[in-house]
Amino acid sequence: MKTLSASPTVAINALAAKKKREGQRVYNFSAGDPALDNHPAILKRALQQIEKKSQPYPPVEGIMELRGLAADWMNASCETHYAKENVMVTCGGKFALFSCLYSLLQPGGEVLIHAPYWVSYPEIVKMAGGVPKIIPPNPDNGWKLTVNDLLQHATDKTKIVIFNNACNPTGVLYTEQEVRDLLNAAKKLDLLVISDEVYSGLVYEQQDFISCGSFPEHHDRVVIVQSCSKNFAMTGWRVGFVLGPENIIQTLGVLQSQSTTGVSLVNQWAAVGALENFVEVNAYVNKAMKARRDVFIQTFNSLFPKPLDEIQSAIYSFVPLKSMGILENSEEFCAKVIASDNIALVPGTAFGMDGHVRFAFSEQEQEIIEALHALKKAVNRLMEDQS
Ligand code: PLP
């Protein structure tokens, strides 16, 4: 454990929360946590379960109702072909990833991760005894992982590639052809694909989200990581899913039986409430996040000289510091603005790319506007110090 680092996003968010508890005015861009009330459908099912006379152990792989609904949701919204036996319910998407890597990776096995990546990928690979192999970022290629990247970086020790679509932190979205080409390359290299799709329902401007699970010819080498956290604004309920071939789900069940024993029944029934009404609940979250994205872009562009890149999906913007006129490295900058101005941002280094900071635009609109104005003030002061 000494070689691992704690999640920087969780750490910065905890610092912001501590300052808030102390009564300070804090501007939080660090947590990808949709600030929204629970949709009533979620609460209704959770309360029904709470009112039961007892709460026994849950089935290890999840209650059948939820496993079936998760398969139906993915089949209906992403054109996949899963049955309930292809689903395991986990403690959020994070444990879904941990479960896949811990159970499926041999010691020393290499895992390809494309930068900028979600902060937890390399550390979870290390916890699982594997070796993270980082594919450098390529802003000129729209930040996308390419077939060439896979061919260039895979060795005979490479067993798994983690693919993140829609992407945290860049908001990049892959086309059907791009996903198909990457899956064909994975087949050629005999790699298992762990496809992290936890933002599949937070896609804007009517673009299609393409799931790796929608290619039947690759069914055996694809494992999907999903979650209720972002798509249904349920981060604190801790309900996620692995979807994949039945033999893999059975293997993951062994780890779950010896670790978490599954997810609390109340929380699973809350997720049932979301998935029984997935069109409506996801539309409620998507609408709110789209409005926050638009306010974020509009306000940022009115305050800073260089306009932001388009944000196609998810709830983040990965912004070059230079575009705000800042010359420092991202860790120094983020340390300064949280210390002096109570503005919580995550440095690009946490995602494997310095020179950038990640903004989450998941707070209320007015909060986003005030936070950007506070940031503009802080940046002006730092620029005066620079000159
Ligand atoms: N994958 C990505 C890309 C994420 O950004 C997150 C959370 O921020 C997760 C997985 C895990 O989400 P959770 O454990 O809340 O379901």
Side-chain angles (χ1 to χ4, degrees), residues 35-56:
L36 269 185
D37 290 348
N38 285 306
H39 189 282
I42 297 168
L43 288 182
K44 187 173 157 208
R45 279 301 202 171
L47 288 169
Q48 279 171 356
Q49 181 61 27
I50 284 178
E51 280 166 7
K52 296 237 163 106
K53 271 200 296 199
S54 67
Q55 300 294 341

Side-chain angles (χ1 to χ4, degrees), residues 13-24 26:
N13 194 37
L15 177 58
K18 179 171 173 280
K19 282 175 172 261
K20 215 169 174 172
R21 275 198 307 278
E22 290 165 357
Q24 302 186 43
V26 174

Side-chain angles (χ1 to χ4, degrees), residues 119-386:
V119 294
S120 294
Y121 294 151
E123 301 310 291
I124 297 178
V125 169
K126 287 191 235 160
M127 276 192 265
V131 180
K133 279 207 69 182
I134 308 300
I135 300 175
N138 189 353
D140 299 336
N141 193 33
W143 301 106
K144 285 182 178 174
L145 172 68
T146 64
V147 167
N148 255 347
D149 288 330
L150 292 184
L151 298 176
Q152 265 178 27
H153 290 87
T155 71
D156 54 359
K157 290 198 194 114
T158 313
K159 302 297 170 205
I160 295 179
V161 54
I162 301 179
F163 177 57
N164 181 207
N165 180 35
C167 180
N168 173 7
T170 56
V172 154
L173 205 54
Y174 289 75
T175 65
E176 182 173 353
Q177 192 58 49
E178 286 164 345
V179 177
R180 188 187 300 282
D181 290 347
L182 287 168
L183 287 172
N184 285 337
K187 182 174 179 195
K188 201 163 155 189
L189 297 163
D190 197 18
L191 303 181
L192 180 83
V193 179
I194 297 180
S195 184
D196 181 343
E197 305 186 355
V198 304
Y199 296 96
S200 60
L202 298 179
V203 165
Y204 311 114
E205 328 300 358
Q206 266 99 49
Q207 281 143 308
D208 281 337
F209 169 79
I210 306 296
S211 169
C212 282
S214 63
F215 299 82
E217 66 276 28
H218 294 293
H219 178 82
D220 288 348
R221 68 175 64 254
V222 169
V223 179
I224 309 280
V225 167
Q226 259 296 3
S227 175
C228 292
S229 286
K230 320 286 175 164
N231 287 326
F232 306 114
M234 290 179 70
T235 49
W237 292 94
R238 309 307 303 134
V239 183
F241 308 99
V242 179
L243 296 102
E246 212 176 319
N247 61 332
I248 291 189
I249 297 301
Q250 283 164 3
T251 305
L252 304 188
V254 176
L255 173 67
Q256 192 136 292
S257 77
Q258 296 291 13
S259 54
T260 62
T261 315
V263 176
S264 135
L265 285 174
V266 174
N267 301 27
Q268 291 198 58
W269 280 100
V272 165
L275 289 181
E276 281 172 334
N277 301 281
F278 72 83
V279 174
E280 191 190 324
V281 183
N282 178 240
Y284 159 71
V285 183
N286 185 305
K287 189 170 167 223
M289 295 306 120
K290 185 170 188 286
R292 292 175 195 189
R293 178 201 67 161
D294 293 346
V295 161
F296 175 76
I297 295 178
Q298 221 174 30
T299 314
F300 187 99
N301 289 350
S302 72
L303 293 171
F304 294 98
K306 187 160 180 304
L308 289 173
D309 286 345
E310 193 194 358
I311 305 168
Q312 295 176 298
S313 63
I315 46 179
Y316 310 101
S317 182
F318 200 55
V319 179
L321 280 172
K322 264 200 239 151
S323 72
M324 295 191 284
I326 294 293
L327 305 176
E328 288 164 318
N329 72 44
S330 60
E331 287 184 18
E332 274 173 24
F333 175 74
C334 291
K336 276 187 191 165
V337 293
I338 185 73
S340 323
D341 307 273
N342 287 354
I343 302 167
L345 283 161
V346 189
T349 46
F351 306 89
M353 187 170 184
D354 202 359
H356 290 66
V357 284
R358 190 198 73 173
F359 291 77
F361 49 82
S362 47
E363 296 279 341
Q364 314 270 2
E365 286 164 41
Q366 187 56 30
E367 194 62 24
I368 292 173
I369 294 171
E370 288 177 25
L372 282 171
H373 278 93
L375 181 69
K376 175 69 180 169
K377 262 196 202 159
V379 165
N380 283 350
R381 197 193 62 244
L382 288 172
M383 282 171 66
E384 273 169 28
D385 295 350
Q386 257 170 208

Side-chain angles (χ1 to χ4, degrees), residues 89-112:
V89 182
T90 58
C91 289
K94 200 181 255 182
F95 195 80
L97 261 163
F98 177 82
S99 175
C100 295
L101 289 162
Y102 196 86
S103 306
L104 304 176
L105 197 55
Q106 301 285 342
E110 289 176 359
V111 179
L112 294 179

